Amino acid sequence: MLYSEEKIKAALGDHRDTVKIIIDDVTASTNDKGKAIAASGESKNTLILAYRQHKGKGRMGRSFFSPEGGIYMSLVIPKTGLDPEDIPLITPAAAVAVCRAIETLTPAEPKIKWVNDIFCNGGKAAGILTETVFSSEDFFSVVGIGINLIPPKGGFPAELNGIASSVYGEGEEIPQDIMSVLAGTVTRELLDLTVTIPERGFSEEYRRRSFVIGKDARVIKNGIPTEAHIVDIDKNCRLGVIYRDGSEEYLLCGEISLRF
Ligand code: BTN
């Protein structure tokens, strides 16, 4: 499975001329490369793709397992035009973009686990890490997306057993250009969704694609887990929870665990 710049551009549609594409065989982290590009003042949207990462980063300081067979991409968006308080909505927008692309192009039925995980085939098949680089007048968003496309050779590491999954299962037929078409489609959808953030154009879709409402969870804040019941996702993609003591909270960012 190889990337083709031509196929990526075709999938970018109207955005084909506004996105610079960089394809690396291996890099430490496409997000780190994206942050360096942002810091250099690049004025064009830039999509960085790698076949493998040797220092792939997840949220909360975790690593992201990035062997061959996955899509590791970061989209650098200079001058999003967003208000700073809207920055946290970029990750939910990316989650919707990933779901739309997977649902349209593959047999999988993606679902969102608030806030940034995409589940397919019973486990986490994709994750999103959005980082922000501030410049004097504006800020750059670096939206990093890792998609486990096929089961890794040799399987997932033991610590991901029962947690990680992939978009395609063992033995499923993989379309030849799927890496390029998925990466280009996710990018196109994300660029389209980003401009709708101020009017919360996709929150209803984010809510509909989420599978956590009505479930019991542990809410992890500052490393401390608290048991809660999930009751809502609002128009700002905040998670509404009720704790055991009856108190309620809407969370803008953070982490939940559904495994007890
Ligand atoms: C998470 O699930 O915690 C977020 C995972 C984000 C992984 C992607 S892979 C491409 C980009 N580069 C990185 O180092 N991380 C993101």
Side-chain angles (χ1 to χ4, degrees):
M1 292 192 298
L2 290 173
Y3 286 113
S4 140
E5 190 161 335
E6 199 189 318
K7 294 272 172 1
I8 297 168
K9 283 204 174 276
L12 283 170
D14 289 349
H15 298 287
R16 61 170 295 136
D17 296 325
T18 68
V19 180
K20 193 168 151 183
I21 299 170
I22 298 172
I23 301 170
D24 283 341
D25 179 21
V26 58
T27 191
S29 154
T30 56
N31 262 35
D32 285 350
K33 187 155 179 169
K35 286 200 292 180
I37 289 171
S40 77
E42 171 64 60
S43 59
K44 234 181 156 185
N45 294 324
T46 307
L47 173 65
I48 305 139
L49 292 158
Y51 290 98
R52 288 177 291 135
Q53 300 181 115
H54 56 80
K55 247 178 149 180
K57 301 188 300 182
R59 291 174 81 236
M60 314 283 167
R62 285 190 288 259
S63 61
F64 189 78
F65 182 57
S66 311
E68 218 168 296
I71 295 175
Y72 311 109
M73 57 183 276
S74 296
L75 180 64
V76 182
I77 314 177
K79 298 195 190 302
T80 55
L82 295 173
D83 288 336
E85 66 267 22
D86 285 350
I87 297 177
L89 283 145
I90 295 175
T91 295
V96 170
V98 171
C99 284
R100 284 186 185 175
I102 291 177
E103 188 174 84
T104 314
L105 299 166
T106 81
E109 293 171 0
K111 285 275 167 210
I112 298 170
K113 173 177 168 272
W114 187 89
V115 55
N116 70 316
D117 290 340
I118 311 298
F119 273 53
C120 297
N121 299 314
K124 173 171 169 171
I128 298 155
L129 171 67
T130 304
E131 299 187 88
T132 307
V133 176
F134 291 93
S135 72
S136 49
E137 316 113 55
D138 209 337
F139 61 87
F140 288 67
S141 287
V142 180
V143 190
I145 300 171
I147 304 176
N148 306 327
L149 195 62
I150 57 173
K153 281 195 189 109
F156 286 103
E159 68 270 19
L160 295 180
N161 278 339
I163 298 173
S165 182
S166 50
V167 172
Y168 287 94
E170 207 69 64
E172 267 190 281
E173 197 183 327
I174 319 292
Q176 201 186 346
D177 294 313
I178 192 67
M179 304 244 301
S180 306
V181 183
L182 254 179
T185 304
V186 169
T187 304
R188 188 191 73 233
E189 294 283 4
L190 177 54
L191 289 171
D192 284 346
L193 285 164
T194 302
V195 295
T196 75
I197 288 178
E199 69 266 22
R200 311 294 187 255
F202 57 86
S203 346
E204 192 43 52
E205 183 175 348
Y206 181 88
R207 186 183 204 276
R208 176 174 59 76
R209 292 185 178 280
S210 299
F211 70 89
V212 299
I213 296 173
K215 296 215 165 18
D216 290 326
R218 282 200 177 119
V219 174
I220 299 138
K221 274 171 55 182
N222 304 321
I224 300 164
T226 311
E227 289 182 19
H229 188 67
I230 299 170
V231 289
D232 192 21
I233 291 175
D234 73 1
K235 74 173 186 1
N236 292 312
C237 299
R238 296 180 311 165
L239 189 78
V241 299
I242 300 182
Y243 295 106
R244 285 272 169 93
D245 64 4
S247 60
E248 297 175 22
E249 188 174 19
Y250 272 88
L251 303 157
L252 187 54
C253 56
E255 171 103 337
I256 52 167
S257 165
L258 300 171
R259 294 154 59 89
F260 282 72

